[in-house]
Amino acid sequence: MGALIFDFDGVIADSEAIANTVLAEFVTGLGHSTTLDQALTRYSGRRWDEAVAEIEACIGKPVPSNFSSELKRATLERFRTDLKEVTGAANFIERFAHLPRCIASSSSMDRLQLCLSVLALEAEFGSHVFSADMVARGKPHPDIFLFAANKLGVSPRECLVIED
């Protein structure tokens, strides 16, 4: 094995419940009562434009123009106070410190950087943190993983991707 490529949310950071709790609160604030479980079912794993379209269908009108920016602000703030690592993630990363490694995530760079800081894992990855914003096609396409392998200087065939 030549390198490890880590997804981030759900693999290193236990962030999905936090982000979806904040999303449920925002959708509820728009007049459509939404629980964490409903947010996870309706919006997780979807492209943001698809999730917004679903929210608009639920509330029967367009979301406010500042919806995305305010949701992002509130989510990052909640990460600052509530974010924890996935149990055992830091130990796993440390155990394989001899291998080149990176993060390849659908999350934005500012979210990744904040979360790595909160989890005190910045030094474990350095500049090897890659967002799907850096490639033409996001997940489920392999573009981010191929990009990450290239940046690490390792053949994709020699990489192990750890994805939830």
Tab-separated table of all heavy atoms in Angstrom, residues 58-119:
chain	number	residue	atom	x	y	z
A	58	CYS	N	-40.570	21.314	0.260
A	58	CYS	CA	-41.198	21.089	1.575
A	58	CYS	C	-41.844	22.358	2.125
A	58	CYS	O	-42.920	22.295	2.713
A	58	CYS	CB	-40.168	20.568	2.584
A	58	CYS	SG	-39.634	18.874	2.288
A	59	ILE	N	-41.183	23.499	1.941
A	59	ILE	CA	-41.717	24.735	2.528
A	59	ILE	C	-42.637	25.483	1.566
A	59	ILE	O	-43.299	26.440	1.961
A	59	ILE	CB	-40.592	25.672	3.035
A	59	ILE	CG1	-39.714	26.188	1.892
A	59	ILE	CG2	-39.769	24.972	4.111
A	59	ILE	CD1	-38.702	27.254	2.300
A	60	GLY	N	-42.650	25.052	0.302
A	60	GLY	CA	-43.562	25.647	-0.667
A	60	GLY	C	-43.157	27.020	-1.168
A	60	GLY	O	-43.993	27.761	-1.696
A	61	LYS	N	-41.895	27.382	-1.028
A	61	LYS	CA	-41.396	28.673	-1.517
A	61	LYS	C	-39.870	28.624	-1.555
A	61	LYS	O	-39.263	27.724	-0.964
A	61	LYS	CB	-41.859	29.815	-0.616
A	61	LYS	CG	-41.369	29.700	0.815
A	61	LYS	CD	-41.929	30.802	1.697
A	61	LYS	CE	-41.446	30.580	3.138
A	61	LYS	NZ	-42.047	31.488	4.067
A	62	PRO	N	-39.266	29.575	-2.243
A	62	PRO	CA	-37.795	29.607	-2.264
A	62	PRO	C	-37.227	29.884	-0.872
A	62	PRO	O	-37.854	30.579	-0.058
A	62	PRO	CB	-37.466	30.766	-3.208
A	62	PRO	CG	-38.703	30.991	-4.009
A	62	PRO	CD	-39.850	30.593	-3.111
A	63	VAL	N	-36.040	29.349	-0.610
A	63	VAL	CA	-35.367	29.669	0.646
A	63	VAL	C	-34.879	31.114	0.565
A	63	VAL	O	-34.677	31.645	-0.537
A	63	VAL	CB	-34.183	28.707	0.934
A	63	VAL	CG1	-34.671	27.276	1.104
A	63	VAL	CG2	-33.106	28.807	-0.112
A	64	PRO	N	-34.696	31.781	1.705
A	64	PRO	CA	-34.166	33.149	1.672
A	64	PRO	C	-32.787	33.190	0.992
A	64	PRO	O	-32.045	32.206	1.004
A	64	PRO	CB	-34.043	33.517	3.159
A	64	PRO	CG	-34.988	32.594	3.866
A	64	PRO	CD	-35.005	31.327	3.059
A	65	SER	N	-32.451	34.331	0.431
A	65	SER	CA	-31.197	34.454	-0.315
A	65	SER	C	-29.965	34.190	0.548
A	65	SER	O	-28.933	33.759	0.043
A	65	SER	CB	-31.099	35.833	-0.965
A	65	SER	OG	-31.122	36.849	0.035
A	66	ASN	N	-30.066	34.419	1.853
A	66	ASN	CA	-28.923	34.210	2.738
A	66	ASN	C	-28.961	32.838	3.440
A	66	ASN	O	-28.172	32.583	4.347
A	66	ASN	CB	-28.840	35.324	3.782
A	66	ASN	CG	-30.011	35.313	4.743
A	66	ASN	OD1	-31.029	34.652	4.520
A	66	ASN	ND2	-29.872	36.058	5.835
A	67	PHE	N	-29.864	31.966	3.010
A	67	PHE	CA	-30.041	30.669	3.668
A	67	PHE	C	-28.741	29.879	3.725
A	67	PHE	O	-28.316	29.425	4.794
A	67	PHE	CB	-31.125	29.854	2.951
A	67	PHE	CG	-31.357	28.492	3.548
A	67	PHE	CD1	-32.115	28.343	4.699
A	67	PHE	CD2	-30.802	27.356	2.976
A	67	PHE	CE1	-32.326	27.094	5.261
A	67	PHE	CE2	-31.014	26.100	3.523
A	67	PHE	CZ	-31.776	25.968	4.675
A	68	SER	N	-28.088	29.701	2.594
A	68	SER	CA	-26.872	28.884	2.550
A	68	SER	C	-25.752	29.481	3.381
A	68	SER	O	-25.075	28.769	4.135
A	68	SER	CB	-26.405	28.691	1.108
A	68	SER	OG	-27.337	27.920	0.389
A	69	SER	N	-25.548	30.780	3.278
A	69	SER	CA	-24.457	31.407	4.033
A	69	SER	C	-24.731	31.386	5.535
A	69	SER	O	-23.814	31.152	6.338
A	69	SER	CB	-24.205	32.836	3.545
A	69	SER	OG	-25.342	33.648	3.748
A	70	GLU	N	-25.972	31.602	5.935
A	70	GLU	CA	-26.308	31.563	7.366
A	70	GLU	C	-26.242	30.135	7.913
A	70	GLU	O	-25.797	29.915	9.045
A	70	GLU	CB	-27.689	32.166	7.613
A	70	GLU	CG	-27.687	33.683	7.520
A	70	GLU	CD	-26.740	34.319	8.531
A	70	GLU	OE1	-26.863	34.032	9.744
A	70	GLU	OE2	-25.861	35.092	8.099
A	71	LEU	N	-26.660	29.170	7.119
A	71	LEU	CA	-26.565	27.772	7.528
A	71	LEU	C	-25.099	27.388	7.707
A	71	LEU	O	-24.727	26.745	8.703
A	71	LEU	CB	-27.236	26.859	6.508
A	71	LEU	CG	-27.119	25.362	6.779
A	71	LEU	CD1	-27.848	24.981	8.062
A	71	LEU	CD2	-27.648	24.572	5.590
A	72	LYS	N	-24.258	27.777	6.772
A	72	LYS	CA	-22.828	27.480	6.873
A	72	LYS	C	-22.232	28.124	8.118
A	72	LYS	O	-21.490	27.485	8.861
A	72	LYS	CB	-22.103	27.966	5.618
A	72	LYS	CG	-20.630	27.666	5.618
A	72	LYS	CD	-19.990	28.107	4.324
A	72	LYS	CE	-18.527	27.760	4.292
A	72	LYS	NZ	-17.911	28.105	3.001
A	73	ARG	N	-22.548	29.383	8.361
A	73	ARG	CA	-22.036	30.088	9.533
A	73	ARG	C	-22.447	29.371	10.812
A	73	ARG	O	-21.629	29.111	11.698
A	73	ARG	CB	-22.551	31.535	9.560
A	73	ARG	CG	-22.016	32.355	10.739
A	73	ARG	CD	-22.864	33.601	11.008
A	73	ARG	NE	-24.275	33.314	11.214
A	73	ARG	CZ	-24.785	32.759	12.308
A	73	ARG	NH1	-24.020	32.399	13.307
A	73	ARG	NH2	-26.093	32.550	12.405
A	74	ALA	N	-23.708	29.000	10.922
A	74	ALA	CA	-24.214	28.328	12.125
A	74	ALA	C	-23.598	26.940	12.290
A	74	ALA	O	-23.287	26.516	13.414
A	74	ALA	CB	-25.736	28.230	12.064
A	75	THR	N	-23.409	26.251	11.177
A	75	THR	CA	-22.816	24.913	11.239
A	75	THR	C	-21.371	24.987	11.707
A	75	THR	O	-20.954	24.233	12.596
A	75	THR	CB	-22.907	24.220	9.862
A	75	THR	OG1	-24.275	24.147	9.469
A	75	THR	CG2	-22.308	22.825	9.909
A	76	LEU	N	-20.596	25.904	11.147
A	76	LEU	CA	-19.205	26.057	11.572
A	76	LEU	C	-19.126	26.455	13.047
A	76	LEU	O	-18.251	25.971	13.779
A	76	LEU	CB	-18.476	27.065	10.685
A	76	LEU	CG	-18.286	26.657	9.219
A	76	LEU	CD1	-17.576	27.755	8.443
A	76	LEU	CD2	-17.558	25.336	9.082
A	77	GLU	N	-20.029	27.309	13.479
A	77	GLU	CA	-20.051	27.694	14.890
A	77	GLU	C	-20.347	26.489	15.779
A	77	GLU	O	-19.721	26.312	16.835
A	77	GLU	CB	-21.089	28.804	15.128
A	77	GLU	CG	-21.010	29.425	16.496
A	77	GLU	CD	-19.645	30.030	16.813
A	77	GLU	OE1	-19.006	30.631	15.921
A	77	GLU	OE2	-19.205	29.872	17.976
A	78	ARG	N	-21.267	25.649	15.386
A	78	ARG	CA	-21.590	24.445	16.162
A	78	ARG	C	-20.401	23.486	16.175
A	78	ARG	O	-20.133	22.847	17.189
A	78	ARG	CB	-22.835	23.777	15.586
A	78	ARG	CG	-23.453	22.702	16.441
A	78	ARG	CD	-24.265	23.223	17.633
A	78	ARG	NE	-25.332	24.110	17.255
A	78	ARG	CZ	-26.600	23.751	17.007
A	78	ARG	NH1	-26.958	22.492	17.129
A	78	ARG	NH2	-27.484	24.647	16.662
A	79	PHE	N	-19.684	23.391	15.055
A	79	PHE	CA	-18.482	22.551	15.032
A	79	PHE	C	-17.459	23.044	16.051
A	79	PHE	O	-16.787	22.239	16.696
A	79	PHE	CB	-17.839	22.536	13.644
A	79	PHE	CG	-18.573	21.732	12.615
A	79	PHE	CD1	-18.344	21.969	11.266
A	79	PHE	CD2	-19.468	20.726	12.950
A	79	PHE	CE1	-18.992	21.235	10.289
A	79	PHE	CE2	-20.132	19.986	11.984
A	79	PHE	CZ	-19.886	20.239	10.646
A	80	ARG	N	-17.329	24.354	16.183
A	80	ARG	CA	-16.352	24.913	17.135
A	80	ARG	C	-16.625	24.442	18.562
A	80	ARG	O	-15.701	24.300	19.356
A	80	ARG	CB	-16.374	26.434	17.087
A	80	ARG	CG	-15.716	27.035	15.885
A	80	ARG	CD	-15.726	28.577	15.941
A	80	ARG	NE	-15.133	29.137	14.756
A	80	ARG	CZ	-15.796	29.464	13.651
A	80	ARG	NH1	-17.115	29.298	13.583
A	80	ARG	NH2	-15.168	29.959	12.613
A	81	THR	N	-17.879	24.201	18.880
A	81	THR	CA	-18.226	23.834	20.257
A	81	THR	C	-18.511	22.352	20.464
A	81	THR	O	-18.284	21.839	21.559
A	81	THR	CB	-19.457	24.633	20.732
A	81	THR	OG1	-20.567	24.352	19.870
A	81	THR	CG2	-19.173	26.129	20.745
A	82	ASP	N	-18.983	21.668	19.430
A	82	ASP	CA	-19.488	20.308	19.631
A	82	ASP	C	-18.736	19.207	18.883
A	82	ASP	O	-18.982	18.032	19.151
A	82	ASP	CB	-20.960	20.227	19.202
A	82	ASP	CG	-21.867	21.094	20.058
A	82	ASP	OD1	-21.394	21.712	21.021
A	82	ASP	OD2	-23.073	21.156	19.745
A	83	LEU	N	-17.866	19.546	17.950
A	83	LEU	CA	-17.259	18.532	17.096
A	83	LEU	C	-16.328	17.606	17.871
A	83	LEU	O	-15.517	18.048	18.684
A	83	LEU	CB	-16.472	19.185	15.958
A	83	LEU	CG	-15.941	18.228	14.898
A	83	LEU	CD1	-17.081	17.581	14.115
A	83	LEU	CD2	-15.003	18.969	13.940
A	84	LYS	N	-16.461	16.327	17.589
A	84	LYS	CA	-15.592	15.283	18.153
A	84	LYS	C	-15.090	14.432	16.990
A	84	LYS	O	-15.693	14.375	15.930
A	84	LYS	CB	-16.371	14.378	19.122
A	84	LYS	CG	-17.065	15.106	20.256
A	84	LYS	CD	-16.095	15.514	21.323
A	84	LYS	CE	-16.797	16.086	22.538
A	84	LYS	NZ	-16.825	17.511	22.610
A	85	GLU	N	-13.993	13.723	17.239
A	85	GLU	CA	-13.502	12.797	16.223
A	85	GLU	C	-14.334	11.526	16.253
A	85	GLU	O	-14.948	11.195	17.268
A	85	GLU	CB	-12.033	12.447	16.453
A	85	GLU	CG	-11.809	11.494	17.615
A	85	GLU	CD	-10.393	10.978	17.725
A	85	GLU	OE1	-9.521	11.755	18.106
A	85	GLU	OE2	-10.190	9.786	17.447
A	86	VAL	N	-14.357	10.824	15.149
A	86	VAL	CA	-14.921	9.484	15.128
A	86	VAL	C	-14.030	8.653	16.050
A	86	VAL	O	-12.795	8.725	15.962
A	86	VAL	CB	-14.938	8.914	13.690
A	86	VAL	CG1	-15.269	7.435	13.692
A	86	VAL	CG2	-15.924	9.689	12.826
A	87	THR	N	-14.620	7.901	16.926
A	87	THR	CA	-13.864	7.133	17.905
A	87	THR	C	-12.755	6.322	17.239
A	87	THR	O	-13.019	5.552	16.313
A	87	THR	CB	-14.796	6.197	18.701
A	87	THR	OG1	-15.814	6.994	19.310
A	87	THR	CG2	-14.037	5.431	19.764
A	88	GLY	N	-11.535	6.542	17.696
A	88	GLY	CA	-10.382	5.803	17.209
A	88	GLY	C	-9.707	6.383	15.985
A	88	GLY	O	-8.652	5.880	15.561
A	89	ALA	N	-10.259	7.429	15.391
A	89	ALA	CA	-9.697	7.972	14.143
A	89	ALA	C	-8.272	8.474	14.335
A	89	ALA	O	-7.377	8.136	13.549
A	89	ALA	CB	-10.585	9.081	13.590
A	90	ALA	N	-8.029	9.264	15.367
A	90	ALA	CA	-6.685	9.813	15.584
A	90	ALA	C	-5.677	8.699	15.844
A	90	ALA	O	-4.547	8.750	15.339
A	90	ALA	CB	-6.694	10.820	16.722
A	91	ASN	N	-6.072	7.693	16.596
A	91	ASN	CA	-5.168	6.565	16.854
A	91	ASN	C	-4.842	5.824	15.562
A	91	ASN	O	-3.704	5.411	15.349
A	91	ASN	CB	-5.770	5.598	17.872
A	91	ASN	CG	-5.779	6.169	19.270
A	91	ASN	OD1	-4.999	7.060	19.593
A	91	ASN	ND2	-6.671	5.669	20.103
A	92	PHE	N	-5.840	5.640	14.716
A	92	PHE	CA	-5.620	4.967	13.433
A	92	PHE	C	-4.657	5.780	12.576
A	92	PHE	O	-3.718	5.228	11.981
A	92	PHE	CB	-6.943	4.755	12.711
A	92	PHE	CG	-6.815	3.987	11.432
A	92	PHE	CD1	-6.886	2.599	11.439
A	92	PHE	CD2	-6.607	4.635	10.222
A	92	PHE	CE1	-6.762	1.875	10.256
A	92	PHE	CE2	-6.481	3.921	9.036
A	92	PHE	CZ	-6.558	2.538	9.053
A	93	ILE	N	-4.880	7.077	12.496
A	93	ILE	CA	-4.015	7.957	11.699
A	93	ILE	C	-2.582	7.875	12.214
A	93	ILE	O	-1.629	7.742	11.436
A	93	ILE	CB	-4.549	9.405	11.729
A	93	ILE	CG1	-5.886	9.484	10.985
A	93	ILE	CG2	-3.533	10.378	11.128
A	93	ILE	CD1	-6.685	10.740	11.274
A	94	GLU	N	-2.419	7.916	13.521
A	94	GLU	CA	-1.089	7.842	14.128
A	94	GLU	C	-0.427	6.484	13.860
A	94	GLU	O	0.772	6.412	13.573
A	94	GLU	CB	-1.199	8.080	15.631
A	94	GLU	CG	0.134	8.111	16.340
A	94	GLU	CD	-0.019	8.371	17.826
A	94	GLU	OE1	-0.848	9.225	18.201
A	94	GLU	OE2	0.689	7.706	18.604
A	95	ARG	N	-1.192	5.431	13.938
A	95	ARG	CA	-0.655	4.083	13.732
A	95	ARG	C	-0.056	3.921	12.337
A	95	ARG	O	0.902	3.179	12.137
A	95	ARG	CB	-1.752	3.053	13.955
A	95	ARG	CG	-1.272	1.637	13.804
A	95	ARG	CD	-2.333	0.660	14.200
A	95	ARG	NE	-1.832	-0.691	14.014
A	95	ARG	CZ	-2.582	-1.746	13.960
A	95	ARG	NH1	-3.890	-1.629	14.094
A	95	ARG	NH2	-2.067	-2.931	13.783
A	96	PHE	N	-0.614	4.611	11.368
A	96	PHE	CA	-0.140	4.503	9.988
A	96	PHE	C	0.576	5.780	9.537
A	96	PHE	O	0.586	6.117	8.356
A	96	PHE	CB	-1.296	4.145	9.059
A	96	PHE	CG	-1.817	2.760	9.307
A	96	PHE	CD1	-2.923	2.551	10.123
A	96	PHE	CD2	-1.167	1.663	8.771
A	96	PHE	CE1	-3.379	1.272	10.383
A	96	PHE	CE2	-1.616	0.376	9.021
A	96	PHE	CZ	-2.725	0.174	9.841
A	97	ALA	N	1.215	6.450	10.476
A	97	ALA	CA	1.910	7.711	10.190
A	97	ALA	C	3.062	7.534	9.204
A	97	ALA	O	3.498	8.504	8.582
A	97	ALA	CB	2.413	8.338	11.492
A	98	HIS	N	3.539	6.318	9.035
A	98	HIS	CA	4.650	6.052	8.112
A	98	HIS	C	4.212	6.094	6.644
A	98	HIS	O	5.053	6.142	5.751
A	98	HIS	CB	5.285	4.696	8.435
A	98	HIS	CG	4.347	3.539	8.285
A	98	HIS	ND1	3.358	3.262	9.213
A	98	HIS	CD2	4.231	2.613	7.301
A	98	HIS	CE1	2.683	2.190	8.815
A	98	HIS	NE2	3.186	1.778	7.661
A	99	LEU	N	2.912	6.085	6.399
A	99	LEU	CA	2.403	6.118	5.027
A	99	LEU	C	1.997	7.530	4.624
A	99	LEU	O	1.448	8.281	5.441
A	99	LEU	CB	1.167	5.222	4.903
A	99	LEU	CG	1.393	3.725	5.009
A	99	LEU	CD1	0.051	2.996	5.050
A	99	LEU	CD2	2.227	3.224	3.838
A	100	PRO	N	2.220	7.898	3.361
A	100	PRO	CA	1.657	9.158	2.881
A	100	PRO	C	0.136	9.107	3.054
A	100	PRO	O	-0.481	8.053	2.869
A	100	PRO	CB	2.037	9.197	1.399
A	100	PRO	CG	3.170	8.247	1.259
A	100	PRO	CD	2.960	7.193	2.312
A	101	ARG	N	-0.444	10.243	3.388
A	101	ARG	CA	-1.886	10.265	3.616
A	101	ARG	C	-2.443	11.650	3.299
A	101	ARG	O	-1.726	12.638	3.304
A	101	ARG	CB	-2.208	9.880	5.044
A	101	ARG	CG	-1.684	10.852	6.063
A	101	ARG	CD	-1.871	10.307	7.474
A	101	ARG	NE	-1.202	11.130	8.445
A	101	ARG	CZ	0.095	11.060	8.734
A	101	ARG	NH1	0.863	10.214	8.101
A	101	ARG	NH2	0.628	11.858	9.637
A	102	CYS	N	-3.739	11.659	3.054
A	102	CYS	CA	-4.421	12.917	2.778
A	102	CYS	C	-5.893	12.762	3.093
A	102	CYS	O	-6.381	11.669	3.365
A	102	CYS	CB	-4.233	13.327	1.315
A	102	CYS	SG	-5.114	12.277	0.145
A	103	ILE	N	-6.566	13.895	3.030
A	103	ILE	CA	-8.024	13.938	3.121
A	103	ILE	C	-8.550	14.299	1.739
A	103	ILE	O	-8.029	15.205	1.085
A	103	ILE	CB	-8.488	14.972	4.159
A	103	ILE	CG1	-8.092	14.503	5.554
A	103	ILE	CG2	-9.990	15.225	4.061
A	103	ILE	CD1	-8.293	15.529	6.629
A	104	ALA	N	-9.571	13.573	1.292
A	104	ALA	CA	-10.258	13.869	0.033
A	104	ALA	C	-11.746	13.871	0.349
A	104	ALA	O	-12.341	12.823	0.566
A	104	ALA	CB	-9.917	12.826	-1.021
A	105	SER	N	-12.332	15.065	0.415
A	105	SER	CA	-13.681	15.225	0.953
A	105	SER	C	-14.568	16.067	0.055
A	105	SER	O	-14.081	16.911	-0.698
A	105	SER	CB	-13.559	15.899	2.330
A	105	SER	OG	-14.821	16.227	2.861
A	106	SER	N	-15.855	15.872	0.192
A	106	SER	CA	-16.827	16.734	-0.482
A	106	SER	C	-17.020	18.055	0.257
A	106	SER	O	-17.606	18.987	-0.282
A	106	SER	CB	-18.182	16.026	-0.595
A	106	SER	OG	-18.075	14.924	-1.457
A	107	SER	N	-16.535	18.142	1.484
A	107	SER	CA	-16.676	19.369	2.267
A	107	SER	C	-15.815	20.486	1.697
A	107	SER	O	-14.801	20.228	1.039
A	107	SER	CB	-16.275	19.127	3.722
A	107	SER	OG	-17.218	18.319	4.363
A	108	SER	N	-16.198	21.718	1.997
A	108	SER	CA	-15.430	22.881	1.556
A	108	SER	C	-14.113	22.964	2.325
A	108	SER	O	-13.985	22.423	3.432
A	108	SER	CB	-16.238	24.158	1.781
A	108	SER	OG	-16.438	24.351	3.173
A	109	MET	N	-13.137	23.651	1.755
A	109	MET	CA	-11.834	23.788	2.409
A	109	MET	C	-11.947	24.520	3.745
A	109	MET	O	-11.289	24.125	4.711
A	109	MET	CB	-10.840	24.509	1.495
A	109	MET	CG	-10.253	23.607	0.439
A	109	MET	SD	-9.387	22.163	1.120
A	109	MET	CE	-7.838	22.900	1.553
A	110	ASP	N	-12.755	25.551	3.814
A	110	ASP	CA	-12.850	26.267	5.088
A	110	ASP	C	-13.448	25.379	6.181
A	110	ASP	O	-13.004	25.406	7.332
A	110	ASP	CB	-13.579	27.598	4.960
A	110	ASP	CG	-14.970	27.508	4.375
A	110	ASP	OD1	-15.315	26.482	3.742
A	110	ASP	OD2	-15.733	28.477	4.530
A	111	ARG	N	-14.410	24.559	5.819
A	111	ARG	CA	-14.976	23.612	6.785
A	111	ARG	C	-13.922	22.592	7.204
A	111	ARG	O	-13.774	22.298	8.389
A	111	ARG	CB	-16.193	22.920	6.173
A	111	ARG	CG	-16.802	21.845	7.051
A	111	ARG	CD	-18.089	21.323	6.451
A	111	ARG	NE	-18.519	20.078	7.069
A	111	ARG	CZ	-19.744	19.605	6.996
A	111	ARG	NH1	-20.667	20.270	6.331
A	111	ARG	NH2	-20.058	18.465	7.574
A	112	LEU	N	-13.187	22.042	6.248
A	112	LEU	CA	-12.152	21.060	6.561
A	112	LEU	C	-11.079	21.664	7.473
A	112	LEU	O	-10.679	21.046	8.462
A	112	LEU	CB	-11.519	20.524	5.280
A	112	LEU	CG	-12.414	19.643	4.418
A	112	LEU	CD1	-11.794	19.428	3.042
A	112	LEU	CD2	-12.679	18.316	5.104
A	113	GLN	N	-10.629	22.848	7.140
A	113	GLN	CA	-9.581	23.484	7.939
A	113	GLN	C	-10.054	23.770	9.363
A	113	GLN	O	-9.326	23.535	10.327
A	113	GLN	CB	-9.088	24.752	7.243
A	113	GLN	CG	-8.312	24.429	5.995
A	113	GLN	CD	-8.042	25.637	5.118
A	113	GLN	OE1	-8.672	26.679	5.246
A	113	GLN	NE2	-7.087	25.490	4.206
A	114	LEU	N	-11.273	24.273	9.505
A	114	LEU	CA	-11.808	24.526	10.836
A	114	LEU	C	-11.902	23.228	11.632
A	114	LEU	O	-11.464	23.160	12.786
A	114	LEU	CB	-13.186	25.182	10.766
A	114	LEU	CG	-13.887	25.282	12.125
A	114	LEU	CD1	-13.269	26.379	12.969
A	114	LEU	CD2	-15.365	25.464	11.973
A	115	CYS	N	-12.454	22.205	11.025
A	115	CYS	CA	-12.642	20.935	11.729
A	115	CYS	C	-11.311	20.297	12.109
A	115	CYS	O	-11.164	19.769	13.216
A	115	CYS	CB	-13.481	19.979	10.885
A	115	CYS	SG	-15.208	20.488	10.703
A	116	LEU	N	-10.330	20.336	11.223
A	116	LEU	CA	-9.009	19.806	11.566
A	116	LEU	C	-8.405	20.569	12.735
A	116	LEU	O	-7.774	19.978	13.611
A	116	LEU	CB	-8.083	19.849	10.351
A	116	LEU	CG	-8.354	18.787	9.293
A	116	LEU	CD1	-7.610	19.108	8.002
A	116	LEU	CD2	-7.984	17.401	9.804
A	117	SER	N	-8.617	21.873	12.759
A	117	SER	CA	-8.125	22.687	13.873
A	117	SER	C	-8.814	22.304	15.176
A	117	SER	O	-8.157	22.104	16.206
A	117	SER	CB	-8.350	24.172	13.563
A	117	SER	OG	-7.991	24.961	14.674
A	118	VAL	N	-10.132	22.188	15.153
A	118	VAL	CA	-10.894	21.812	16.346
A	118	VAL	C	-10.433	20.457	16.868
A	118	VAL	O	-10.308	20.252	18.082
A	118	VAL	CB	-12.416	21.803	16.046
A	118	VAL	CG1	-13.205	21.142	17.161
A	118	VAL	CG2	-12.922	23.227	15.796
A	119	LEU	N	-10.143	19.528	15.966
A	119	LEU	CA	-9.733	18.175	16.345
A	119	LEU	C	-8.225	18.062	16.586
A	119	LEU	O	-7.733	16.984	16.924
A	119	LEU	CB	-10.159	17.172	15.271
A	119	LEU	CG	-11.665	17.051	15.035
A	119	LEU	CD1	-11.943	16.129	13.858
A	119	LEU	CD2	-12.382	16.586	16.289
